[in-house]
Amino acid sequence: MTDTPDNAGTYRLCKADALPPSDQHAQQYAAVRNAHETELLEDYVELIADLLQHQGEARSTDIAVRMGVSQATVSKTVARLKSLGLVSSKPYRSLFLTEKGEAMAAMSHQRHAIVLQFLRDLGVSDRTARIDAEGMEHHVSQETLDIMQRFSRERERHGT
């Protein structure tokens, strides 16, 4: 939110911010729809990569517990990940990332790390920063990520 605070100390959008030109407004909503489409897949792939790295395997039961969803939900999402060529599995074995899945997980980890560090640098508590970063990482542009990363690097460079 931008512009000047009102008497209660809250910020209000100016008219141009509240109702931008139609084509710009449509682009904003399209970007959000696109982010929503991919965020669940990115979260699953990122979690599978973490489980493989830290536990040596990525089992559906572990995914269900960590995502707070049912085993049926995990099975449905894993089937989608397989159809998109992001995950593979073998009978009675854990899940594995394909090359395409590993690339998505790496990109998602990088975005998450940048957003998390930026929030911490702003003074957001670790617990809140972790929660907020989980959602924000899917919705920020590359331009914003670059600026967040530059901000954190400058802060680190100056020891603040």
Side-chain angles (χ1 to χ4, degrees):
M1 307 208 193
T2 61
D3 283 2
T4 58
D6 63 17
N7 292 338
T10 58
Y11 287 85
R12 294 177 301 162
L13 295 173
C14 70
K15 187 176 180 179
D17 288 334
L19 197 57
S22 298
D23 59 334
Q24 180 183 344
H25 216 181
Q27 287 175 342
Q28 289 170 202
Y29 285 114
V32 170
R33 282 192 306 275
N34 185 50
H36 283 303
E37 272 185 34
T38 61
E39 72 184 284
L40 181 66
L41 302 176
E42 290 173 355
D43 284 343
Y44 268 77
V45 169
E46 188 177 2
L47 177 56
I48 291 167
D50 287 342
L51 289 169
L52 289 169
Q53 179 182 355
H54 298 287
Q55 295 182 358
E57 65 180 351
R59 299 177 311 146
S60 292
T61 54
D62 295 328
I63 294 169
V65 168
R66 290 189 174 273
M67 291 289 237
V69 298
S70 71
Q71 190 71 31
T73 298
V74 172
S75 295
K76 180 180 173 185
T77 305
V78 166
R80 186 167 173 215
L81 292 170
K82 286 179 182 179
S83 73
L84 293 170
L86 298 167
V87 171
S88 66
S89 66
K90 296 176 183 165
Y92 309 106
R93 301 267 326 267
S94 71
L95 300 167
F96 301 93
L97 293 175
T98 63
E99 196 171 302
K100 184 177 173 182
E102 287 175 358
M104 179 184 271
M107 186 248 349
S108 188
H109 274 121
Q110 180 67 15
R111 293 174 68 86
H112 184 90
I114 292 168
V115 172
L116 181 60
Q117 187 59 51
F118 176 75
L119 293 173
R120 287 174 173 160
D121 288 342
L122 289 177
V124 176
S125 70
D126 185 66
R127 184 178 188 336
T128 301
R130 287 175 181 273
I131 291 167
D132 290 349
E134 193 56 51
M136 291 172 63
E137 71 186 79
H138 305 288
H139 295 273
V140 295
S141 67
Q142 188 60 50
E143 176 184 0
T144 301
L145 281 170
D146 291 345
I147 292 168
M148 288 175 160
Q149 189 171 38
R150 194 166 43 247
F151 174 87
S152 292
R153 285 183 177 159
E154 283 297 316
R155 198 171 181 319
E156 183 181 325
R157 191 173 329 194
H158 291 83
T160 56

